[in-house]
């Protein structure tokens, strides 16, 4: 009985220290936000209705949840066209840091394409939410290596028993075609984008979990100094709408006090650890 009590007290101290550390990180982030950044920051915007309408314009025909198609379309567009592909490169760096992508940031990437609603070749009519392909090489004279990232997006529902298996088969076909063509390639990479960041229950492959807060934070960090870019407003509205409607944040966030009623780890997932890396 005493041993169990000691273990519980030890765990309580760990969580208490972690909570203090997280609060300190968030306080430093809030203090570091200048007026200029806040004026453009998606989490502090007051025109949430404009952001929601931006999503709604593309979501009139989706059945599962009307916003999902719009989210994947805009996400794929940002990865494909946004800011000299800074967002997709930030995403690739994140996967590299997580040990899911083999090519470090100093590699040269080319022919990156992000497709929303990739239709399966088995004529089932099923679609992969985001299908990302590209080439990587260490030096310009090296033979390029093909890579593929399959992204499944879940807002409300869970994946079905056979759903991920179908997507894995499609990725295997891509690998087989690459091999037959004599191309160098790596095994396909699978990512599951969800609200809670939970690992996928089904599928034979390792579906790397990432949250909406994380993906929005990666995009924002890659574009926040590019406010003159033509698509800056679209990306900002996309992030604002996702934080408000999917992550259920009370947008706009207060400018001076970290919201105590919000999940602190959700906030850190968006704002990122880069601002407070000196604490670690």
């Amino acid at each position: 009985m005493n041993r169990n009590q000691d273990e519980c007290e030890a765990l309580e101290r760990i969580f208490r220290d972690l909570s203090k550390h997280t609060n300190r990180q968030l306080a430093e982030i809030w203090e570091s936000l200048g007026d200029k950044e806040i004026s453009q920051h998606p989490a502090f915007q007051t025109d949430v209705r404009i952001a929601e309408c931006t999503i709604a314009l593309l979501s009139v025909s989706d059945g599962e949840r009307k916003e999902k198609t719009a989210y994947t379309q805009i996400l794929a567009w940002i990865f494909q066209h946004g800011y000299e592909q800074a967002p997709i490169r930030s995403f690739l760096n994140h996967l590299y840091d997580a040990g899911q992508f083999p090519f470090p940031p100093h590699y040269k990437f080319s022919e990156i394409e992000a497709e929303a609603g990739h239709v399966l070749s088995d004529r089932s009519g099923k679609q992969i939410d985001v299908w990302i392909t590209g080439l990587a090489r260490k030096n310009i004279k090296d033979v390029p290596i093909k890579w593929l990232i399959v992204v499944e997006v879940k807002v409300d529902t869970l994946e079905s028993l056979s759903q991920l298996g179908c997507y894995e088969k499609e990725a295997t076909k891509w690998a087989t075609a690459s091999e037959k063509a004599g191309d160098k390639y790596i095994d396909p990479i699978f990512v599951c984008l969800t609200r809670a960041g939970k690992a996928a229950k089904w599928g034979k492959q390792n579906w790397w979990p990432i949250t909406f807060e994380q993906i929005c934070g990666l995009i924002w960090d890659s574009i926040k100094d590019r406010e003159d870019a033509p698509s800056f407003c679209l990306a900002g509205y996309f992030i604002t709408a996702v934080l408000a409607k999917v992550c259920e944040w009370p947008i706009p966030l207060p400018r001076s006090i970290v919201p105590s009623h919000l999940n602190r780890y959700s906030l850190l997932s968006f704002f990122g650890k880069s601002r407070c890396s000196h604490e670690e």
Side-chain angles (χ1 to χ4, degrees):
M1 196 71 178
N2 289 335
R3 180 181 177 182
N4 290 338
Q5 183 177 353
D6 291 341
E7 291 177 350
C8 289
E9 291 178 353
L11 285 174
E12 184 179 352
R13 286 194 297 271
I14 291 173
F15 285 117
R16 185 168 57 247
D17 292 342
L18 179 60
S19 178
K20 290 181 180 179
H21 180 64
T22 302
N23 287 339
R24 185 167 64 251
Q25 287 181 313
L26 287 173
E28 290 182 359
I29 290 173
W30 249 246
E31 291 174 1
S32 70
L33 292 172
D35 291 338
K36 180 181 178 181
E37 182 173 359
I38 287 180
S39 67
Q40 296 278 10
H41 204 295
F44 297 90
Q45 293 308 303
T46 57
D47 50 0
V48 180
R49 289 300 305 164
I50 297 178
E52 292 178 348
C53 287
T54 302
I55 296 294
L57 285 172
L58 296 175
S59 63
V60 293
S61 62
D62 189 44
E64 175 190 350
R65 172 175 172 134
K66 67 178 184 178
E67 296 92 350
K68 180 187 172 183
T69 297
Y71 291 144
T72 55
Q73 287 177 340
I74 297 177
L75 178 62
W77 190 92
I78 290 173
F79 278 166
Q80 177 70 36
H81 302 287
Y83 318 95
E84 300 177 350
Q85 296 188 319
I88 183 62
R89 293 174 185 273
S90 178
F91 178 56
L92 296 178
N93 292 343
H94 171 80
L95 292 179
Y96 172 77
D97 290 339
Q100 302 300 308
F101 190 66
F103 306 117
H106 67 268
Y107 267 57
K108 302 181 185 303
F109 300 103
S110 61
E111 299 186 27
I112 299 176
E113 295 185 6
E115 175 190 1
H118 175 83
V119 180
L120 299 188
S121 59
D122 61 5
R123 300 183 181 180
S124 65
K126 295 180 180 180
Q127 299 181 10
I128 293 174
D129 288 326
V130 185
W131 175 277
I132 311 171
T133 57
L135 301 176
R137 65 186 87 190
K138 186 175 182 179
N139 299 301
I140 194 64
K141 295 182 179 180
D142 292 342
V143 176
I145 305 172
K146 297 173 65 176
W147 52 266
L148 164 67
I149 299 175
V150 176
V151 183
E152 169 64 6
V153 180
K154 288 297 181 186
V155 177
D156 284 330
T157 61
L158 298 175
E159 72 276 1
S160 65
L161 179 61
S162 61
Q163 183 180 22
L164 298 187
C166 292
Y167 301 164
E168 292 169 359
K169 288 181 180 178
E170 185 73 10
T172 299
K173 290 180 180 179
W174 171 89
T176 301
S178 299
E179 185 174 4
K180 287 182 177 180
D183 298 329
K184 294 183 65 175
Y185 69 95
I186 63 169
D187 291 335
I189 297 165
F190 301 91
V191 175
C192 195
L193 171 59
T194 66
R195 299 174 68 178
K198 294 182 179 180
K201 294 180 63 176
W202 310 109
K204 296 181 180 179
Q205 301 296 328
N206 172 37
W207 287 79
W208 179 254
I210 188 171
T211 64
F212 281 93
E213 292 97 332
Q214 288 175 313
I215 205 76
C216 287
L218 291 171
I219 293 172
W220 177 248
D221 282 344
S222 68
I223 69 170
K224 62 185 179 183
D225 297 323
R226 303 168 184 242
E227 60 268 22
D228 294 332
S231 48
F232 181 83
C233 288
L234 173 62
Y237 289 147
F238 168 77
I239 295 172
T240 301
V242 170
L243 294 179
K245 302 198 72 177
V246 179
C247 304
E248 300 180 343
W249 286 18
I251 303 295
L253 294 179
R255 297 192 174 197
S256 57
I257 302 174
V258 179
S260 59
H261 59 284
L262 267 176
N263 184 314
R264 296 186 297 268
Y265 306 106
S266 176
L267 290 170
L268 276 182
S269 292
F270 172 75
F271 285 99
K273 298 181 180 180
S274 58
R275 293 178 176 274
C276 42
S277 59
H278 62 277
E279 283 284 343
E280 299 177 353

